[in-house]
Amino acid sequence: MLLRRSGPGPEPFTPHTPAAEHVPAVQWRDETIVLPGAAGARLRWWSMDGAQAGNTARPWVLHFHGGAFTRGSLGEGAPVARALAAAGATVAALDYPLAPEAPFPQAIELGHAVLRWLALPRHARRRGALLVAGEEAGGNLAAAVALMARDRAGPALAGQILLSPLLDVCVATASQRQAGAGAAGCPCDAGWRAYLPRPADAAHPYATPGTALRLARLPRSLLLTAADDPLRDETRAYARRLGAAGVPVELRELGEPTGWPASYARAADAPWSAALRRHLHRFLHDLSL
């Protein structure tokens, strides 16, 4: 059963980029899907407009916005969702439940249920490769859902895209300390406490994918970070561990400061946005080779 509500029509994606770079226009629409055993899930679909999308089945990406588990919205996640769509994907951005009202594992259980819905045979004609993606806390959720898909026999994923993912509750890396923000010298401390109210949850690999012992058989991965990213060290560490487990992985670092903590909320018009889109486009294109 599907309940549809269209957005206000095409929303052009027009970042401040050099004139030589063509940035496709994208459009969005909202849809509420009803899942077995769940009240429903709200998705915001992003894609190139019809004139540019053509008839080819495009990669579908389930996207999770950031917000340290306790905040964020489809609107705040729109810049990354737009960038993924402009890079060639059809993006299903999930309005997942937030902590502390919905602590671990509610968001990822909903995410996996939505992923299974996206993989239904009735979507096969329009769907190409299936991926997950997310920034910051959304990167945690995307990584966790990728682990769940592997462990629960599907659906099969072609890739995961993790942008400055929040992966490890042990917030003692050098890049975290350099950030110097938050109640415990860590900008993510309050979010972790809300998301994992039971201390034992911190040991679960779906809660803290950065500490997961089994990483083999995960999909091809793209991890992005930046010079001023407090999550830089754990992003790099996860990329190394994925590679050691035999997972094809690319680690890309944006070449200039991104203005954290507003980084990905500025992905539409920041000076580094063109580089971000190039990395996304290349990764999505390589999946089809």
Side-chain angles (χ1 to χ4, degrees):
M1 176 181 180
L2 302 182
L3 305 175
R4 299 177 183 271
R5 180 173 68 82
S6 296
E11 180 172 329
F13 177 35
T14 54
H16 301 156
T17 54
E21 184 192 1
H22 171 67
V23 181
V26 301
Q27 59 186 1
W28 66 269
R29 63 179 175 86
D30 282 350
E31 177 178 21
T32 298
I33 63 174
V34 177
L35 302 164
R42 182 184 174 213
L43 300 177
R44 178 163 293 174
W45 292 91
W46 295 87
S47 62
M48 291 186 195
D49 64 31
Q52 299 182 66
N55 297 319
T56 304
R58 311 186 75 79
W60 279 20
V61 179
L62 177 59
H63 172 251
F64 300 85
H65 63 76
F69 303 111
T70 62
R71 60 186 187 277
S73 66
L74 294 178
E76 291 174 42
V80 171
R82 285 191 190 118
L84 286 162
T90 296
V91 182
L94 176 60
D95 187 17
Y96 61 86
L98 302 175
E101 291 78 15
F104 172 83
Q106 293 186 42
I108 59 172
E109 289 291 354
L110 179 63
H112 185 253
V114 170
L115 190 68
R116 293 183 69 87
W117 181 85
L118 294 173
L120 288 174
R122 68 172 179 260
H123 299 139
R125 190 173 68 175
R126 295 182 296 129
R127 185 192 64 239
L130 186 59
L131 300 89
V132 290
E135 64 273 16
E136 197 237 27
N140 172 294
L141 303 180
V145 170
L147 288 166
M148 296 168 76
R150 178 201 64 185
D151 296 344
R152 298 180 179 183
L157 289 174
Q160 61 176 345
I161 300 173
L162 310 178
L163 300 89
S164 304
L166 186 56
L167 297 170
D168 192 345
V169 72
C170 184
V171 288
T173 64
S175 58
Q176 286 274 17
R177 293 195 302 272
Q178 290 166 7
C186 165
C188 305
D189 178 71
W192 277 119
R193 291 177 183 275
Y195 184 55
L196 304 177
R198 298 175 299 183
D201 286 339
H204 200 294
Y206 296 169
T208 56
T211 65
L213 298 179
R214 295 188 306 107
L215 298 178
R217 297 188 299 109
L218 284 172
R220 184 170 181 170
S221 303
L222 172 64
L223 280 75
L224 292 108
T225 183
D228 61 341
D229 177 12
L231 304 175
R232 180 182 66 250
D233 289 349
E234 60 195 86
T235 302
R236 291 173 172 172
Y238 197 56
R240 288 194 298 270
R241 294 191 61 230
L242 287 169
V247 176
V249 60
E250 301 175 34
L251 174 65
R252 304 297 182 193
E253 186 166 319
L254 298 171
E256 53 190 306
T258 60
W260 184 88
S263 304
Y264 295 110
R266 300 173 55 242
D269 58 4
W272 45 267
S273 60
L276 172 64
R277 285 192 301 277
R278 283 195 296 271
H279 291 315
L280 297 176
H281 182 273
R282 185 176 300 114
F283 183 75
L284 292 170
H285 177 266
D286 289 348
L287 288 178
S288 63
L289 298 180

